[in-house]
């Protein structure tokens, strides 16, 4: 078994352990809600009515159910059995079984995907793709699953975050520097499970996808707004939070802000 597959399976186990409390942990976080709204708004501008979406690392299905509520069809995939189970329960409860389908499948094994589309759009949120050191291979597997002109929107954790780096002045040296010198991956820790994650910049995505894709858009996410792990910021400082949101909205697509957030959102369009 390769090291990359080992770490991916470990990540799947970590998120399975977290699946039963995942929504409880993040549903009340104002900045997480802000991030979801930003990502969804970004994707909606490229979707046509009734589009079919393939979601990678779909988690508990918060985004799948949102897009289903907007009239889109979603095939939600994940490597975590726990996340898939929670998602299935939520689909049943919401009465969306005709709009959302599921499949246990790794994004590094998309050649094994049963429901192959082709899709109008592919979507991966909140750094799920950072759980592989072979993102180039994942990118190469996407074109066969997309219609000509179809889009792939990926939300990726970059190698530098301004807010995170500034934590060094609060004495949080380990957190402030965890993305530095991380070419071979850095160890992450969730629910008692350790696994590796890797950081990627927009230039890497563009370079490794240009044979099949054109880049439509890059936006920074939580560049001026603080990351969601700075707990309670939005609740304690609502006026400051709204002011930061306004400026992030203005600057999100400009250099250097589009590359120095907690995440960046990149949308690629398959060449005809």
């Amino acid at each position: 078994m390769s090291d990359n597959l080992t770490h991916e399976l470990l990540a799947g186990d970590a998120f399975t352990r977290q699946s039963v409390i995942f929504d409880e942990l993040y549903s009340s976080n104002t900045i997480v809600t802000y991030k979801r709204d930003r990502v969804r708004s970004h994707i909606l501008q490229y979707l046509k009515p009734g589009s079919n979406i393939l979601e990678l690392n779909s988690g508990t299905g918060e985004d799948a159910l949102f897009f289903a509520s907007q009239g889109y069809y979603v095939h939600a995939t994940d490597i975590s059995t726990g996340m898939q189970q929670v998602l299935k329960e939520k689909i049943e409860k919401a009465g969306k079984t005709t709009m959302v389908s599921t499949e246990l499948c790794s994004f590094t094994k998309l050649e094994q995907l049963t429901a192959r589309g082709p899709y109008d759009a592919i979507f991966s949120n909140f750094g799920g793709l950072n759980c592989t050191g072979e993102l180039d291979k994942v990118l190469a597997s996407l074109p066969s699953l997309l219609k000509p002109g179809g889009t792939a929107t990926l939300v990726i954790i970059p190698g530098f975050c301004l807010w995170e780096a500034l934590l060094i002045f609060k004495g949080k040296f380990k957190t402030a520097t965890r993305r530095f010198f991380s070419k071979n991956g850095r160890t992450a820790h969730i629910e008692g499970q350790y696994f590796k994650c890797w950081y990627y910049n927009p230039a890497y995505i563009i370079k490794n996808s240009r044979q099949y894709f054109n880049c439509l858009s890059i936006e920074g996410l939580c560049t001026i707004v603080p990351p969601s792990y700075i707990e309670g910021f939005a609740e304690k400082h609502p006026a400051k939070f709204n002011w930061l949101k306004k400026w992030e909205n203005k600057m999100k697509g400009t250099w250097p802000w589009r590359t120095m957030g907690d995440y960046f959102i990149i949308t690629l369009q398959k060449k005809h």
Side-chain angles (χ1 to χ4, degrees):
M1 185 181 296
S2 70
D3 287 343
N4 275 291
L5 181 56
T6 298
H7 286 290
E8 188 183 348
L9 292 172
L10 290 173
D13 179 63
F15 285 106
T16 288
R17 296 183 188 191
Q18 194 182 62
S19 61
V20 293
I21 59 169
F22 186 87
D23 289 338
E24 182 182 341
L25 283 174
Y26 298 111
S27 61
S28 63
N29 187 309
T30 302
I31 296 179
V32 170
T33 300
Y34 161 75
K35 291 193 299 184
R36 284 202 185 278
D37 289 345
R38 274 281 311 280
V39 172
R40 291 167 179 175
S41 295
H42 180 102
I43 294 172
L44 285 170
Q45 67 183 312
Y46 298 113
L47 292 178
K48 296 176 182 178
S51 289
N52 288 291
I53 302 169
L54 171 63
E55 184 176 4
L56 311 179
N57 53 272
S58 57
T60 63
E62 287 293 292
D63 293 312
L65 286 168
F66 167 79
F67 286 113
S69 74
Q70 302 299 303
Y72 302 104
Y73 297 89
V74 184
H75 188 58
T77 67
D78 206 295
I79 195 175
S80 166
T81 54
M83 290 292 191
Q84 283 270 291
Q85 183 58 41
V86 173
L87 169 54
K88 289 175 182 177
E89 292 169 2
K90 289 166 72 171
I91 295 168
E92 291 280 351
K93 186 175 180 180
K96 295 294 183 182
T97 53
T98 61
M99 303 295 290
V100 182
S101 54
T102 65
E103 188 171 346
L104 193 67
C105 183
S106 165
F107 48 65
T108 61
K109 299 291 183 182
L110 290 175
E111 71 278 2
Q112 299 175 6
L113 194 66
T114 301
R116 300 194 57 78
Y119 297 91
D120 298 289
I122 295 174
F123 164 52
S124 170
N125 207 357
F126 292 163
L129 292 176
N130 290 86
C131 291
T132 178
E134 299 178 320
L135 184 54
D136 56 332
K137 295 180 181 179
V138 178
L139 293 169
S141 71
L142 301 184
S144 65
L145 298 168
L146 277 172
K147 298 175 183 177
T151 58
T153 297
L154 316 174
V155 184
I156 305 290
I157 304 172
F160 177 78
C161 171
L162 178 61
W163 270 96
E164 197 165 276
L166 291 174
L167 291 176
I168 200 167
F169 297 109
K170 285 198 166 186
K172 298 182 178 180
F173 184 81
K174 187 175 181 180
T175 300
T177 61
R178 64 183 172 183
R179 303 191 197 197
F180 300 170
F181 314 112
S182 57
K183 182 179 179 180
N184 296 318
R186 282 294 176 95
T187 300
H189 177 224
I190 293 176
E191 300 298 325
Q193 183 61 276
Y194 292 86
F195 58 94
K196 271 191 177 183
C197 63
W198 289 259
Y199 301 106
Y200 298 99
N201 294 320
Y204 177 95
I205 308 292
I206 293 169
K207 176 184 176 183
N208 286 282
S209 65
R210 61 164 56 114
Q211 182 178 355
Y212 301 105
F213 291 99
N214 293 313
C215 181
L216 294 182
S217 176
I218 303 170
E219 295 180 8
L221 180 58
C222 286
T223 54
I224 298 173
V225 170
S228 53
Y229 58 76
I230 299 181
E231 295 180 6
F233 179 90
E235 291 78 16
K236 293 174 185 174
H237 312 287
K240 288 182 181 177
F241 175 58
N242 287 328
W243 185 82
L244 293 173
K245 280 200 302 182
K246 181 180 76 172
W247 278 100
E248 180 159 302
N249 187 56
K250 288 182 178 181
M251 308 302 290
K252 63 189 179 184
T254 64
W255 188 89
W257 301 105
R258 66 189 178 203
T259 63
M260 59 196 304
D262 196 29
Y263 301 86
F264 64 89
I265 311 168
I266 184 167
T267 292
L268 310 169
Q269 184 174 44
K270 184 180 175 181
K271 296 177 180 178
H272 290 276

